Amino acid sequence: MASEGGQKKSALVTGAGGFVGRHMAERLVAEGYSVTVSDLRDPQIAGARFVKADITSRAACEQITAGVASVFHVASMVQTKQSGAAPVWAVNHGGTCNLLWAAQQAGVSRFVYVSSASVVYQGADIENGDESLPYTAVSQAPYADSKIAAERDVIAANGKAGMLTCSLRPHVIFGPGDGRFLPAILRRAKAGALRLGVGTENKLSDFTYIDNLIDALVLADKKLATEDGASLGGKVWFITNGEPLPFWDFVDQVLVESGLPRIRARIPYRIAYAAATVAEKVNSLLGTGDGPENGFTRFAIRYLCTHHYFSIERARRDLGYSPAVSITEGIRRTVDSLRQSGDLPR
């Protein structure tokens, strides 16, 4: 059983109804933590206590942080379109500020933030980038911009009211339970709408299997709880599988494992970017820009057509992080879970 000073460890997981949050909460329960989970709807996680909370409310944040030693702040709103920025900022930055304030008031010991590798992406190639990279000075999308602001505040809060903080930056998370990334790819492939990729160059991307990210988050909390934890407070770490490969090679691996046809050809970047620009402007004019994303945005097109892979050496050194599940095995596990759920034929 996880313990701290003779007491059972207690933790809050925000956004527990989402992909990463659910995995995080389930791991902590399995490790013997006393777990509080929060979201707008009850994720019904066995062994955890649910408290409904909207993190844009300070009062709600006060309620969920009371009596916990660690906060795993996972909740965020993902949107790469330029339209509809206000709710993205309210959740990603405003919600983080509220949680930091409430955690300090409640005497929380550790605050572990799930950030994004996109905070350093400036629209150009990143090859084996490390934590010395500056935040992007060029606005890319409300999601990336708001995550930068939130991470800055998390790091600035380190040491205040005795609380240690840190931030982990995963990139392209996938695995069983993902409701966005791979399911969207497979839906399009099954509908015959995924015949063409974007970009004629094989630009490398990083990917992060969900269990590896959860390993890193747990390691971060445990390291902060040690006698040497103060030396790690205020740090950030890139967390990936450490196996960069061309994005469309990854997609082809998923399609083959799923028994679906590979990508047939590629659309040049300039054509795809121009089409995405028009699509975003039309959506904005029609007032449909605040709806669910279809992945066809300028930010997404730029991302697909640049190198973006990162060094995980600092995480290896500081946290003892080592990716336990390879990309190939992760894809197999993810596809198996989709077959078991009926989303793919057996």
Side-chain angles (χ1 to χ4, degrees):
M1 177 179 291
S3 62
E4 184 174 39
Q7 300 292 318
K8 186 175 181 180
K9 280 189 178 180
S10 56
L12 164 69
V13 179
T14 67
F19 172 41
V20 176
R22 174 174 286 278
H23 279 268
M24 186 76 249
E26 289 176 344
R27 174 70 68 83
L28 294 175
V29 169
E31 293 208 4
Y33 284 69
S34 174
V35 182
T36 299
V37 297
S38 73
D39 213 315
L40 298 177
R41 296 180 182 85
D42 188 351
Q44 298 184 342
I45 296 172
R49 179 180 73 101
F50 171 67
V51 180
K52 182 177 180 179
D54 178 350
I55 61 171
T56 64
S57 161
R58 269 200 171 187
C61 291
E62 282 187 287
Q63 183 181 13
I64 59 178
T65 53
V68 301
S70 303
V71 170
F72 291 89
H73 181 27
V74 183
S76 71
M77 186 174 178
V78 180
Q79 179 165 302
T80 62
K81 296 175 292 190
Q82 288 293 345
S83 58
V88 178
W89 275 91
V91 172
N92 294 356
H93 184 225
T96 301
C97 291
N98 288 340
L99 276 166
L100 287 168
W101 175 84
Q104 290 168 0
Q105 304 306 305
V108 169
S109 299
R110 297 174 297 281
F111 193 104
V112 181
Y113 179 55
V114 180
S115 184
S116 168
S118 65
V119 299
V120 298
Y121 180 66
Q122 305 208 44
D125 289 338
I126 297 176
E127 301 178 67
N128 207 38
D130 63 22
E131 291 80 2
S132 67
L133 287 171
Y135 292 117
T136 177
V138 181
S139 176
Q140 297 294 331
Y143 174 72
D145 295 347
S146 60
K147 295 294 273 189
I148 290 170
E151 185 180 271
R152 284 183 186 275
D153 285 341
V154 168
I155 299 310
N158 182 61
K160 294 181 179 178
M163 183 173 71
L164 298 179
T165 69
C166 67
S167 180
L168 279 67
R169 299 170 171 175
H171 189 268
V172 190
I173 310 163
F174 74 101
D178 167 25
R180 293 174 52 87
F181 175 46
L182 290 191
I185 289 172
L186 294 173
R187 279 195 300 272
R188 293 185 65 191
K190 287 191 291 183
L194 191 61
R195 297 172 182 172
L196 303 175
V198 175
T200 55
E201 296 181 78
N202 282 327
K203 296 290 189 175
L204 300 180
S205 176
D206 261 326
F207 301 86
T208 313
Y209 184 67
I210 183 64
D211 287 6
N212 296 335
L213 172 58
I214 301 305
D215 286 346
L217 289 164
V218 172
L219 282 168
D221 181 59
K222 290 181 176 178
K223 288 289 186 178
L224 289 180
T226 65
E227 291 183 0
D228 297 328
S231 65
L232 299 179
K235 282 196 173 185
V236 301
W237 296 279
F238 286 111
I239 301 296
T240 74
N241 261 60
E243 302 174 77
L245 73 161
F247 180 85
W248 296 110
D249 285 7
F250 176 89
V251 171
D252 275 342
Q253 283 192 44
V254 173
L255 295 176
V256 169
E257 185 70 28
S258 305
L260 295 166
R262 293 172 179 264
I263 300 294
R264 293 182 183 178
R266 306 277 188 87
I267 303 171
Y269 166 77
R270 290 183 182 277
I271 294 174
Y273 189 82
T277 301
V278 171
E280 284 196 71
K281 288 183 178 179
V282 168
N283 286 335
S284 180
L285 288 171
L286 295 177
T288 58
D290 294 343
E293 289 196 59
N294 60 10
F296 195 52
T297 66
R298 286 169 288 178
F299 179 86
I301 299 302
R302 282 194 300 270
Y303 228 47
L304 291 172
C305 296
T306 51
H307 288 299
H308 40 279
Y309 60 96
F310 305 87
S311 170
I312 56 173
E313 288 310 306
R314 179 191 265 193
R316 290 184 188 276
R317 182 177 65 251
D318 290 351
L319 304 179
Y321 170 68
S322 180
V325 181
S326 69
I327 286 178
T328 298
E329 175 61 16
I331 289 172
R332 186 193 66 76
R333 292 185 187 185
T334 305
V335 171
D336 282 351
S337 74
L338 290 168
R339 289 198 174 106
Q340 291 170 11
S341 66
D343 293 318
L344 279 175
R346 292 179 180 272

